[in-house]
Each structure stands twice: as C-alpha cells, then as structure tokens.
Amino acid sequence: MEQKIGRRFEGKVAIVTASTQGIGFGIAERLGLEGASVVISSRKQKNVDEAVAKLKAKGIEVFGVVCHVSNAQQRKNLIEKTIEKYGKIDVVVSNAAANPLTDNILETKESVLDKLWEINVKTAILLLQDAAPHLQNGSSVIFISSIAAFQPAASMGMYGVTKTALLGLTKALAAEMAPNTRVNCVAPGFVPTHFAGFITNDEVARKAIEERTLFNRLGTTDDMAAATTFLASDDASYITGETLVVAGGMPSRL
Ligand code: NAP
C-alpha cells in the first residue's frame, strides 16, 4: 500500500487486536504509515513476530504482544505492555472474531454459541474495560462488525447475530464514553482473507458475492483500513455511535 497518505496519527498510540494478518494487519499498517505507534497482537508468537518484522520493514513504529482475546491475563498484559512502552492509548480497534462456519442456529451447540458470544462480543467489552483508564481525551474505539450483521446469511447465522450485537454495543458505548472517546464501527463486505477463505476460495460463491456488489469485486484489506482509520482519526471528530458499511454497495441496514 504505497498510495499517497497523510500523517493523521503522528504521536498517537493504537492497539489493534487480531492484527497479524488480514483486515487487522491492514489496519495496523495504515495506522503505522500515518504515524501511529502500533501495538499488534494475535494468538501465536510466530505470527506476531512475522507481522512485527513486516511492519518494521516499512518504517513503522510497532510493538507485538501475544494476546488470545479470550485469555484475561493476556488481555491485561496487552494493555500493561502498551502502557509500559508508550504510556497511553489513543485508538483501540477491536477486530478479533471466531470462525463463522456454524450450523443452523437451532442446531448450534451451546459450547459454540458461548464461543461466538465470548470472542465476538464479550471479550471486546472486557478489553475496553482494561483499556478505559488509559484512553486519552479525543481517543477513538472502532469495532469490526460485518455486512452479515444486517442480514445474517444461512450457515453464518449466529456469527451474523453476534456482529449485529456490535452495532448496538457501538451505540451504547458511544453514549457511555462521550465526550472523551468516540466509538464507531466498520461493517466490512467480503474480503478474501484466511477467515473468509471457505467462501471466497469457492469460485461459484465468490462470483455470487461479487455480483451482489455494485463494483463486481470483493473488498480489500486496504478498503477496510481506509474506512477504519478515517473513523479513528480527527477527520471523524463529530462522528460517534455510527457504523460505516464498506461493502461495495451490497444491500445493508436493518
Ligand atoms: P484473518 O485474515 O483470518 O485474520 C485473523 C487474525 O486474527 C489473525 O491475525 C489471527 O492470528 C488472529 N486471531 C484469530 N483468532 C484470534 C483470537 N481469538 N484472539 C486474537 N487473535 C486472533 O481474518 P479477517 O478476515 O481479517 O477478519 C478480521 C475481522 O474482520 C473479523 O472480526 C471478521 O469477523 C471481520 N470480517 C471479515 C470479513 C471477510 O470477508 N474477511 C467480512 C466481514 C467482517 P492468530 O492465528 O495468530 O491468532
């Protein structure tokens, strides 16, 4: 991503969860290229190390911490290490989600329901509880939801419902955290990442999705990073409680 970009995050500190590949990595890269000190994380040390090396090679100030978002100790450690290293938090991008491949909702096991709620909704809240004391005046929180939040598709039904919950969480926390912190949400369309590979690697499914967009293409991680950094930046300083759909015109809204 070498297009002309600004330096909107000079002097800012940004945490992005689940950010060693895919959309999270793209967001971390864009924040870093715009001047932020970026804290990236995911479950596996090897992935963290590789992503840190890639971002450093682009001249980005980056720090990597292992954090499985379901692990309370690792969430606390993520915040503590960030404060030890950079002393404050300006941006939190909550991007982690559990794999969407699930059964029909009425056939989904309780353990799977619990996992989807936990990773997709509850841990986003718990991480913010840990981060809140360190959020600066003018800080910004972004949840990564999904186009599936608006119309949960068959077989991804419960995943979609957890993503719908993030739209409500965005509204509720925007009120709770104003005026210090803005809280917004990005709802990506389909992006060919590892996560979405079970759909986007299937030629027929991919074509069907492309045709549902108005541009006849899938989204890119850069598309998601551009929208997320806009909402995180002072360019969006009068925007809070909103969800930006970034889905090439695919039908959305409840
Ligand atoms: P991805 O390319 O598969 O990347 C997932 C990242 O998350 C990896 O860095 C992975 O690294 C990390 N991760 C997975 N589980 C984690 C956990 N429990 N705790 C911490 N890190 C974890 O996925 P993606 O497509 O970019 O998805 C990112 C977000 O976008 C998700 O919230 C997803 O729901 C949303 N989204 C994606 C699409 C799409 O089409 N791709 C569409 C709409 C919304 P490790 O393996 O090292 O943990």
Side-chain angles (χ1 to χ4, degrees):
M1 188 181 58
E2 308 302 348
Q3 82 253 37
K4 273 187 227 150
I5 57 172
R7 300 283 291 177
R8 292 176 295 184
F9 297 95
E10 208 77 67
K12 307 263 185 188
V13 178
I15 293 178
V16 186
T17 64
S19 46
T20 56
Q21 64 174 341
I23 292 170
F25 181 84
I27 293 167
E29 180 184 34
R30 176 74 187 250
L31 286 163
L33 288 174
E34 291 211 38
S37 299
V38 187
V39 182
I40 64 163
S41 60
S42 77
R43 293 168 299 183
K44 300 188 191 101
Q45 184 74 57
K46 181 172 172 285
N47 293 346
V48 171
D49 292 344
E50 284 173 9
V52 164
K54 278 189 209 158
L55 295 173
K56 278 202 167 137
K58 299 202 167 204
I60 290 168
E61 171 58 42
V62 56
F63 181 56
V65 182
V66 168
C67 178
H68 186 318
V69 292
S70 288
N71 183 319
Q73 195 46 51
Q74 292 185 359
R75 283 195 307 270
K76 282 203 185 329
N77 187 52
L78 173 64
I79 302 301
E80 279 170 17
K81 287 275 161 20
T82 301
I83 297 306
E84 271 172 32
K85 177 120 179 114
Y86 297 120
K88 62 169 184 160
I89 303 168
D90 298 288
V91 175
V92 178
V93 181
S94 182
N95 173 63
N99 194 307
L101 199 53
T102 57
D103 299 324
N104 290 332
I105 292 173
L106 295 184
E107 282 139 31
T108 302
K109 285 192 197 135
E110 187 173 352
S111 60
V112 176
L113 292 176
D114 285 347
K115 185 180 169 192
L116 283 166
W117 278 114
E118 176 174 312
I119 296 193
N120 297 6
V121 184
K122 192 173 92 175
T123 63
I125 298 168
L126 293 173
L127 182 73
L128 283 182
Q129 289 182 353
D130 291 339
H134 309 286
L135 284 171
Q136 301 298 292
N137 199 2
S139 57
S140 176
V141 171
I142 315 287
F143 294 113
I144 305 300
S145 175
S146 169
I147 186 76
F150 298 95
Q151 183 59 62
S155 88
M156 283 168 52
M158 201 55 216
Y159 163 83
V161 173
T162 63
K163 292 296 191 177
T164 312
L166 293 181
L167 311 190
L169 185 62
T170 299
K171 293 277 181 205
L173 283 180
E176 194 171 311
M177 297 176 83
N180 234 39
T181 304
R182 294 180 301 103
V183 183
N184 289 295
C185 181
V186 170
F190 286 82
V191 182
T193 62
H194 177 71
F195 191 80
F198 73 100
I199 304 171
T200 54
N201 293 339
D202 176 314
E203 185 73 6
V204 176
R206 184 173 53 75
K207 272 210 145 41
I209 291 165
E210 284 171 355
E211 282 165 12
R212 283 174 63 206
T213 73
L214 302 180
F215 305 136
N216 205 28
R217 71 164 176 89
L218 299 179
T220 65
T221 57
D222 284 353
D223 292 329
M224 304 313 142
T228 305
T229 49
F230 162 66
L231 287 173
S233 78
D234 289 345
D235 286 342
S237 57
Y238 200 50
I239 301 176
T240 194
E242 299 296 343
T243 294
L244 186 49
V245 179
V246 189
M250 271 177 85
S252 64
R253 298 299 167 201
L254 288 169

